[in-house]
Structure formats: structure tokens, C-alpha cells
Amino acid sequence: MGHTTLDKIKALQKNPANIRNLCILAHVDHGKTTLADCLVASNGIISSRLAGKLRYLDSREDEQIRGITMKSSAISLHYEKDYLINLIDSPGHVDFSSEVSTAVRLCDGAIIMVDAVEGVCPQTQAVLRQAWLENIRPVLVINKMDRLIMELKFTSQEAYTHLQKILEQVNAVTGSLFTSKVLEERADKEKEKDKEKEKEKEDIDPMGCSGSEQVYDWSAGLEDSDDSQLYFSPDQGNVVFASATDGWGFSIQQFANIYSQKMGIRGEVLRKTLWGDFYLHAKAKKIMKGAHTKGKKPLFVQLVLDNIWSLYDAVVTRRDQDKVEKMMLSLGVKVMARDSRHSDPKVLLSAICGQWLPVSQAVLSMVCEKLPSPLDMTSERIEKLMSVGARRFDSLPTQTQELKTAFMQCSCEDTAPVIVFVSKMITVDAKSLPQNKQRPLTQEEITQRRELARQRHAERQATSQQTGNEEGNAHAGSTAPAHSPGDNSIGKCLSPCFTVSFFQSLSLSVFPTLSKPEDEGKQIFVAFARVYSGVVRRGQRVFVLGPKYNPAQGLRVLPEGSTSMTGSLPPVPHLACCTLDSLYLLMGRELEDLEEVPPGNVLGIGGLEECVLKSATLSTSPALPPFIPLNFEATPIVRVAIEPKHPSEMPKLVRGMRLLNQADPCAEVLIQETGEHVLVTAGEVHLQRCLDDLRERFAKIKISVSKPIIPFRETVVKPPKVDMVNEDLGKQQKVAVIHQVKESDTLHLDPSGLVTLTTPNRQATVGVRAVPLPEEVPLLLEGSADLIRTLEQAGQAQRDGRFLDMSPRTHDALLGLKSKLEGLLQGRKWRNAVDRIWAFGPRRHGPNILLNSVEGYQRPSVWHCLERDKGEKDGDNAIRDFDNSIVSGFQLATLSGPMCEEPLMGVCFSVERWEMNFPIQRTHLDSVGDEDSNSHDAPASSSESPADTAGQPEGRGEAGRVCETAQAEGAVARPSQQRRHEDIGAGVVDCYGPFSGQLIAAVKEACRHAFQAKPQRLMAAMYTCEIMATAEVLGRVYGVLGKREGRVLQEEMKEGTDMFIIKAVLPVAESFGFADEIRKRTSGLASPQLVFSHWEVIGSDPFWVPTTEEEYLHFGEKADSANQALKYMNAVRRRKGLYVEEKIVEHGEKQRTLGKNK
């Protein structure tokens, strides 16, 4: 197929039924970009000879150097029968999995690629899960089939068995995702039925007599569900076998069509029997079942693989020219003479296979037949996109629910609302924009400019002649005569001054970028987006919907029927207006200008950098809710502090980091309390790319980068029974622990670990105990952070007198979280603990718990907002004044622990004492009984909120009366004492005054001391490391892992190969340079994949001191094995500028004087 023109693509964009939006997903180095090259070559954009070598969609220099894709990029291709393929190539490296998320959101289908040798790898499972979460349909390409022939030397029969196993592996991953979804839906239905039955029972039997328990059959839901389109199977046409580097690929359907003509068997029969346990009975000329049991060759081996194996044998292995010519003749293939004479046999092989089984034909035909068009978007996916957070689709306004029809119809009418989702912002050089390109002049423009030049020259000559005649200048004779318009030798007589000025003006008009040299290298942001409804036009005004935008609120505030085109609109929270300055067609490395884009297409939008940070929802209708946030697989974990080499360039660094934050979907930019500018990335490769971008594209300055800032967590554990050399601790541990907490007149430590602390003004006393949570609880809380955040929002709304409408699924998930916590917190000391949870922390949704164990204080639980029916019943349990101060102190304590100011994890702080002793009651001499009782009961009042108490005029008057009474009795009070009494009186009633701050500080210090009264441990961030290596380098892999504190979990040999798969865990602190070292030690035969997994307690006690001779031998100052936890803790403390207890001088020797050396 020849090169497709821009006008042709514009015409194809108007037919959404023939549009296919798809992305290529796979593990790293499984051939995504090579396949994309083959598909691009089919449109004549690049030469087919360069496919796989050029890597056209890898437009960055570092992508070409490293040989991996780092940014997802799109291109539009034309396929026969007027199909338009919007193809997005995505990265496979785990550090760039956020780019996969941005690509998947814009697509309706995906090509999943699997290496025929390596099979299903960790990222293969990850991308299958991402595709499943976005409800897009996948098809499978098993790539690198040539490796089975050339590297593993498999026979065709062995290859068939191996391919069956790969298909089973992929289907097992898909099946597990499907099963979990079906069981969830089944559980939801059963819960709804239970609720209905309970209501019926309550109506019939008010006494609530319970009947027999019902037993559910979970498998019933799986049997009823349709999974016919779920699994990958060659006979269904959703699998292609390919070798992208050799340019060939095929589906079962292609061979079925070939053999149906030759053998006279119906194509439909061959399609069903070419894959499976079928063989060809030669005598009966029938296709029979049972090839395996009868020892016959399966049809797939006999009719398909044998032919490909013979072709490789003849062309590559034996180089049998006669046999090759016979095969070419039978296949009807003609190759050029230079290909047949080429010294590399792969060139001839690619030439033959490119005509016989072109991979682009097989893949694109499968995509057009099996993947859905924008018109086929499921209602389930639409509802999921529009249901943000706790909102459910049914609870959205009616106008919002009507927009579902616009999604389904994908209408091009002017009345249809425009709906666009921006998944990320990409940066391009200003000079590569279509309007700034150095375009060549057309013939008409050249003629026009020639005439203009002649006229200007003639005028110039006439002016110079006239001036010379008037002044009698001697130079008049040197002026060249005016030329006629038809004279083509004008360039010869142009004066130098005119030539320069004319060509300058010519260049400025033709090449506008040259007029602004300072703009050279400037980065322009283009939004990577897709149109879901309506026609997007250049210059159109649209609403930008923030992630917290509420359509119900927007519809209330805005006038009825208003759109983004309406003139002056009242301000609405999280809603802004912007203009679409320019629209682009994304063509890999090139951009093409567009005036309008119909629905169902992927496009680039210019002019949104001021309105969109990373992703956004755009619409002309205020009724549209923002789309749900993108689901990122990778967690940003690697931090570095950045500063400019020259302090004067700090503004450039700040601007550059802001641009980097906008350009990268996963990178985060923070400014810490210390003033450091910190960059957070997903891994080492991602970090290197971000730093290169900062130096060369965004800040364009020299920068200094700190060593990676390793995150740690602090926790407490149960008291160990033995020390680090397995000796019985006895009372040694308790003495050492209690010695760390220094008692004072305001601080008291109980032997049981209860810390009691009094505020400096002696008005409040708090007693706190720290208890380690069971191991499973922090993991559960960390995984449920979004749910806990929703719970906190609902609780805050209830305290403000509002009601947060959450979806039934979110409500059930919160109830499920509560029941899981109840199941994990079992035992006497955890009795009713879940109902007594005061808060989670840090940041109100972390993996630590604050428990209310104060006697006589029955405050509402955090789960109170879920109990809708019991809201009135629990009205007596009011919140005390200064309750928020206790929570704030807990949040501060959990945000930075005492060991090295890192966040806490897995710690429960139980508040067992909270007494408030105000001096007003002691000094009150002239009070009315009612006022006295109100003052006395103010802290525990059930009817007054903190805000009400803070605003009472009686409190201020009462403080005034205290002073008046003292003066009437003749008491001589100093002015400072009087002010102190006034401050006390004001502070008692003001929940946000000085006393509140003292209480926050007291709770924070009490929590820290309670933490120190228990055995403290550091928790390290851990990577899961998966390494594929051959047997000969296995020992070296183990050596590198052992050196870096790694721990091997599993080792297994990949069936049918000589490759071993090693699964290990590795501390993030030891991971820097790990990939490079392991590649060097194994000569490139092993490459690790590092994914953040979990937090793990470091077993050694950082405060443990050796006392015996044996302990000094193992862990003393001169020993080889250092205390790992102490090393990490001191490194963090040193970085933060905290005190580190260490000896500065080691092995000091007396200096020799110069006199002794003589």
C-alpha cells in the first residue's frame, strides 16, 4: 500500500464504524516497536527494509541509544476497505508503566505481545490487568517465532507443544481476572437479595426469628457467565503467530483460505481444525480427531509449521539455492536479484516472507475483525468512567446520565456535546510544529516573489539614478541600468545590501521560526487526547473539569442550558474555561494541522498548558463529571534532591521542574520543609531520563543531584526473647528500653509502657500507650487508603451537617474493610478495638491507628457515617472540645517518628487517659451556679461544638469577672499575672487558641515517648526482583543478590528452555546500580525487573549495644558485620542534619614531626 495522504486520513476520520483505536502492550524487549515499524511500513511511511531497525516511533535520542521505548507515541494508519487505525506504541519497562496507563485509557482494544521463548513475564501480567481494568478488548500476537527455530533448535512438533503452553499461561492470567470479577458481581447480587429478604422478614416477623443459614454455590456464577470471547484461541481468529524482525506473521484463517482451495475442504472446517488435536487421514482424505493418542502429526504442525521450518532450513541453515528457487516458485514469490545474492540470508528470508505472509496484513486484518470500534463502547465502561470516587452512576443528575447516550452514539452533529479526555501532556520542539516547519515554496510563490523582487529592484535603480542626476555625484555612472521584467539575470546586478535585506525578509516570511532565535529549542506542550462525542474545532471554547468538580453543583450555579460557548458565566468550583488554540494529527515524529476532529479519534491539542496539569476532562456541557483517575501500576519510590550548580539559576530550575512535572505522568516534584527541591520517580531508569530532560530540555542548566533519598518507615515490635546472638534477654531489654525515655516533672513512664504527659500550663494530662499492630493490618490499611480517605470525607461531611452520597459498592467495601479489621484484631487486648478507632494516620489515611480508651468518653466511631439507620440513636455520643487537637497531635507523631523522622507504620496508639483541669474553677469566687456548672462541664458538654464554645461571649465576661472579684477583695495582682489569668480564661474556651497548641504538642510528645518505650525497628522498602538467567551465570546472580542483602524466594527452570527464573526481594536502599552490576557480572545474559513490593521490618535492633565478649566478636566496633539498621538510621539522620552518635576519628595515630624524618 502506498503513502496515505492527509486528506485521505481526514476523510476516514468521519466514519467511526471503521475506526480502530488500539495500543501495543507487552513486556520489555518482546518486539512492540519492531511490530509497529512493520505496520508503519505498510503505509509507505518508512521502507520495509528499515522496519525493526529504524524504530520509527522511538523519537527520543535516549530511546534509540538504550533500545527501549520510554514514551508512548501515536500514529494514524490506513488499511484496506477504508479502515483507519490509530496505533499507540507503549513502553514495556516497568519504570514507564504509567505511560501504558495513559495509552490504554484512549483505546478500545489492545495487541498483547508475548515472546515465543520467554512466555508470560511480569509486565505481561501487568498490562493484561491494566487492559482488563479499563474494559478494553485484547488480541494476542506471539512474536519471535524465529527464536524457536534458530536459538532453541526446536522441531515443529516441539514448537507446537511450547506454543500451547504459552497460550495456557496467557489464558490463565485472563481467566483469574474474569473469575474475580464474576465472583464480585455474584457477591453483590447475593447481598442485595439478602437485604430484600431481611426487609421481608422484618415485615412478616417483627421479632426477628432467624431461620436456617443459606449455603451459596459460588461456581454457579461462573457457569452462567459468558466467557466465549474471553480466552485467546487461534481458531477464534484472535491470535497471530509472527516474527516481526523477519517480517512475517499469520493467523489460522490465512492458511485455512490457502488450503481450502488446494485440498477442496471448506474453509470453515479448516478454521476450526487447524489448531487442536486433529490430524489428516491421508487414505480417507478426512480430518480426524485424536492426533496425540494415535501418534500423528497435528494439522497445525503438518500444514503450517513444517512449511515455515523447511523455508528456514533451506534459506538460513543450508542455503540451498535450488530448493529456495523451487519453494519461491510454488509460493508464487519473486524477489529482486540483489536480495537473492545478498551475503546475509536473513535479507532473502525477509523478502520471501514479506510477500508470502506479511505480518502487517495478518495483524491489521485481525484488528479490524476482532477489536471494537468507538461505536461499540460498552455501557459498563461508560458508567465506570463517569463514576468518580464514592459517587455512583445512578446518583448523578439526570442531565449527566443522558450524556451516556452521547458516548454510545459517537454523534458528529452540532448539537452533540463535545467530550474529550486528555490522558497526558507531551512536549515537542517549537520548530517541529506544523506552522513553524521550513516548508519549500510552491512554483506560484516562487514566480510571485520573483516579480516582487524585480519591481523592488527597478524602484531602487530609478531612485538612485534620480539622486545621482540631482547631486551630480560621480558615482551615478556606476549604477546599473534597470532591467526589464523579463530579464532573468536580475540576481547578477543586485547590490549586496539589497540582497541581504531582501533574503532576510524572504526568510522571515517563509520560515517564521528564524525570526525568533531565542525561541529555538523551546518546548511546547501538546495534549494527548481522544474525542468521545461531538466534533472538536479549532478555536472552540470548552470547560476544563477538575478532578473534584461536582456536576450537580455546576448545574445549580450555571444558568439552565448554558454551555462553554456562553459569554459571561458565574464562577464554579473546579471548573474553568479554555480555548483550543490548535488541533494536530499525531503521526509519530510528525504533527499535522487539523481544523476539526470528529468523535472516536485520537488527536493532539495545543494551548492547554495553562489549564491542564497532567490529565483532564474537557466538555462543552457542565453536566459531565470528570473521568475517573488513571490507574498507575508503578509507585514513585526513588527520590533525589536537586539544586542548580549556580545559585543564581534557581528560578530556571524551579520553572524546569514545573515543566517536568507537567510532562511526565508519573514523576512528582516536591518542596520539603528543609527547602530542598525533590524529584520522585518510579525507578533508576526513569530517574535518569527525568534528569536528562531537566538538563537538556526544561531547565537547560547544570544541576547537582544528591544521592537517592531512601524512604524508610518506623515501627515497634513485640519484645524479643533473645538478642542478636541468640542469648536470653531477660530484663536487659526492658531496662535498656525504659532508659531511653528520660522522666521529668511533666512526663511519667509506667513499667507497663504507659506514658503520661502534662501540658506546660498544667491544664491537661494525656496518657498514651503504643502497641504493635498485627502484620496483616498495616498491609490492609495501606491497600485501602482510598477507601479510608472516602470514609474521612464522609465523616467530615456528617460533622458539617452534610451528607455524602456514596455508591453501594463503596459502602459495601467500607463495611468489608471494617469486618476484615475485626477479623484481624482478635484477642482480649483488641476487644471492641475497631469500634473505638479515633483516627487513622498519618494524613488521616495511613497505616497507623489512634484508639479511644478514655474511660467515660464515648465519642462517635469513624464508622459512624456508615450507620445511616443508627444516626439518631447515637446522638448522645458527642465530640468533646479539643478532640481535634488530640487527632492533630497523633497525625504529627505518625508523620515523623523519633528514630530518624520517618513516617510510622503498623503502630496503634491507645489514649487511656485524658484529663482537663482548668484553673478557672479554682479562682472563681463570685460565680452563679448555672454558669459555674456550665464552665465545669464545658469540656465534656454534649451539646456544644468547638466553634460554638469559641464564640461564647460568656467566657470572656467570666474571665473579666475573675479580675473584678480579685480587685474588690483587695488582692494585689501584678499586671503580668492579670494578663496570664485573662489568657487562661480565653484559652479554655477557644479550641484553636494557645491551649490547643499545647495539647497538640503534648499528644505528639506522648506518642513519641510511648513509641520509644517499646522495642523500635526500622522498616525498609523492598523491591520484588525477577531475573531470567541461564545455568552458567546462575552463581554470579546469587553472588550479586547476596552482596546487596537480597533474599531469593523461588527458583524454577522454564520448561522447554535452559533459562532459570529467579524471584527475590531486594531492599530499595541496595538497588542502585544493581541492574548494571548484574549485567556486567553475567556478560548481559541476565537482566532484572524491579517492582516495588512491600515494606519489611529489618530484624536487627538499631539501639542494641554489645556487652559480652561473644557479642563484641560478632557485632563490635572492629567486627566485619555491621548493624544494618543502625547504618540505615544514621545515614538518614545525617542527611536530615540530626544528631548522629558516632566517633569522628578512627585509628588516630600521633603525627611524626619533620625532625624525626631527617
Side-chain angles (χ1 to χ4, degrees), residues 646-688:
H646 306 290
S648 60
E649 294 179 328
M650 179 58 83
K652 290 184 180 179
L653 175 68
V654 172
R655 181 179 175 276
M657 291 189 76
R658 182 176 60 80
L659 295 176
L660 174 65
N661 183 45
Q662 191 170 10
D664 195 295
C666 189
E668 295 176 8
V669 173
L670 310 170
I671 300 178
Q672 291 191 330
E673 296 85 353
T674 55
E676 288 178 309
H677 288 75
V678 174
L679 176 65
V680 193
T681 58
E684 208 173 348
V685 182
H686 186 210
L687 172 65
Q688 191 57 50

Side-chain angles (χ1 to χ4, degrees), residues 949-962:
T949 314
Q952 277 187 349
E954 289 81 11
R956 288 189 293 273
E958 193 174 33
R961 280 198 299 277
V962 171

Side-chain angles (χ1 to χ4, degrees), residues 132 175-191 217-223 225 809:
W132 179 267
S176 63
L177 295 168
F178 174 72
T179 306
S180 60
K181 180 191 173 188
V182 170
L183 292 181
E184 275 180 23
E185 291 175 353
R186 177 77 175 167
D188 292 342
K189 288 178 184 176
E190 293 296 344
K191 282 180 184 176
D217 180 15
W218 293 107
S219 62
L222 292 171
E223 290 170 3
S225 303
R809 178 170 290 184

Side-chain angles (χ1 to χ4, degrees), residues 154 1035 1038 1102:
F154 277 180
Y1038 274 81

Side-chain angles (χ1 to χ4, degrees), residues 16-21 83 107-109 135-137 367-382 406-410 530 532 600:
N18 282 358
I19 294 173
R20 298 291 183 272
N21 297 313
Y83 280 103
C107 297
D108 302 307
N135 286 359
I136 66 171
R137 191 181 301 170
V367 161
C368 294
E369 288 175 20
K370 294 298 174 182
L371 294 187
S373 70
L375 292 172
D376 301 327
M377 185 182 283
T378 60
S379 59
E380 182 187 0
R381 186 184 181 197
I382 296 167
F407 273 97
M408 305 278 284
Q409 290 178 348
C410 213
R530 172 181 167 178
Y532 286 88

Side-chain angles (χ1 to χ4, degrees), residues 309-614:
W309 257 244
S310 333
L311 182 63
Y312 268 83
D313 182 60
V315 176
V316 181
T317 310
R318 297 187 181 180
R319 300 197 183 188
D320 189 341
Q321 194 64 34
D322 295 336
K323 190 174 181 181
V324 170
E325 287 177 3
K326 286 180 184 177
M327 294 180 82
M328 287 167 55
L329 189 63
S330 64
L331 293 173
V333 171
K334 292 181 180 178
V335 296
M336 298 174 70
R338 66 175 182 181
D339 290 339
S340 58
R341 290 197 301 266
H342 203 283
S343 59
D344 185 3
K346 282 293 187 84
V347 174
L348 176 59
L349 182 72
S350 300
I352 297 170
C353 293
Q355 294 180 52
W356 176 37
L357 299 170
V359 65
S360 58
Q361 174 75 22
V363 172
L364 292 178
S365 62
M366 174 178 68
V367 161
C368 294
E369 288 175 20
K370 294 298 174 182
L371 294 187
S373 70
L375 292 172
D376 301 327
M377 185 182 283
T378 60
S379 59
E380 182 187 0
R381 186 184 181 197
I382 296 167
E383 290 179 12
K384 188 177 177 183
L385 284 175
M386 296 171 73
S387 303
V388 182
R391 298 177 198 154
R392 62 178 191 271
F393 185 75
D394 300 338
S395 68
L396 295 170
T398 311
Q399 291 170 290
T400 303
Q401 295 185 38
E402 288 172 357
L403 290 174
K404 181 178 173 181
T405 314
F407 273 97
M408 305 278 284
Q409 290 178 348
C410 213
S411 175
C412 301
E413 297 176 5
D414 294 337
T415 55
V418 171
I419 300 172
V420 178
F421 181 75
V422 176
S423 69
K424 67 169 181 172
M425 302 293 285
I426 56 177
T427 53
V428 295
D429 288 330
K431 61 185 178 184
S432 66
L433 293 175
Q435 59 265 33
N436 297 338
K437 280 185 183 174
Q438 300 181 357
R439 60 179 181 82
L441 293 172
T442 62
Q443 194 62 39
E444 294 175 1
E445 287 174 328
I446 291 172
T447 308
Q448 185 181 357
R449 290 178 187 279
R450 186 186 294 123
E451 292 297 328
L452 182 64
R454 284 174 183 153
Q455 289 175 14
R456 284 183 180 175
H457 183 61
E459 289 171 6
R460 188 180 179 85
Q461 289 286 59
T463 305
S464 61
Q465 280 181 4
Q466 186 179 355
T467 306
N469 292 335
E470 287 177 358
E471 296 179 359
N473 197 328
H475 298 285
S478 64
T479 306
H483 287 261
S484 63
D487 191 355
N488 288 330
S489 61
I490 185 169
K492 297 177 182 178
C493 52
L494 286 175
S495 65
C497 177
F498 173 74
T499 307
V500 172
S501 62
F502 168 69
F503 279 109
Q504 275 183 350
S505 65
L506 182 68
S507 65
L508 294 184
S509 57
V510 181
F511 311 129
T513 51
L514 301 179
S515 62
K516 297 180 181 178
E518 69 272 9
D519 287 351
E520 215 167 301
K522 185 181 177 184
Q523 299 297 312
I524 304 295
F525 279 99
V526 174
F528 190 46
R530 172 181 167 178
V531 187
Y532 286 88
S533 169
V535 180
V536 179
R537 293 181 174 85
R538 181 189 290 183
Q540 190 174 21
R541 277 174 60 82
V542 293
F543 289 124
V544 180
L545 313 176
K548 294 183 180 178
Y549 172 68
N550 186 357
Q553 186 181 8
L555 291 171
R556 275 198 309 270
V557 174
L558 295 174
E560 191 174 345
S562 60
T563 63
S564 59
M565 304 302 290
T566 313
S568 58
L569 293 171
V572 181
H574 310 292
L575 184 72
C577 267
C578 72
T579 305
L580 308 180
D581 292 344
S582 47
L583 306 178
Y584 301 113
L585 176 69
L586 302 172
M587 293 295 290
R589 305 180 183 187
E590 307 292 329
L591 296 174
E592 298 290 346
D593 252 330
L594 295 174
E595 289 297 322
E596 62 177 35
V597 180
N601 288 286
V602 175
L603 78 158
I605 305 173
L608 294 181
E609 57 267 20
E610 298 298 327
C611 308
V612 178
L613 180 61
K614 290 177 183 276

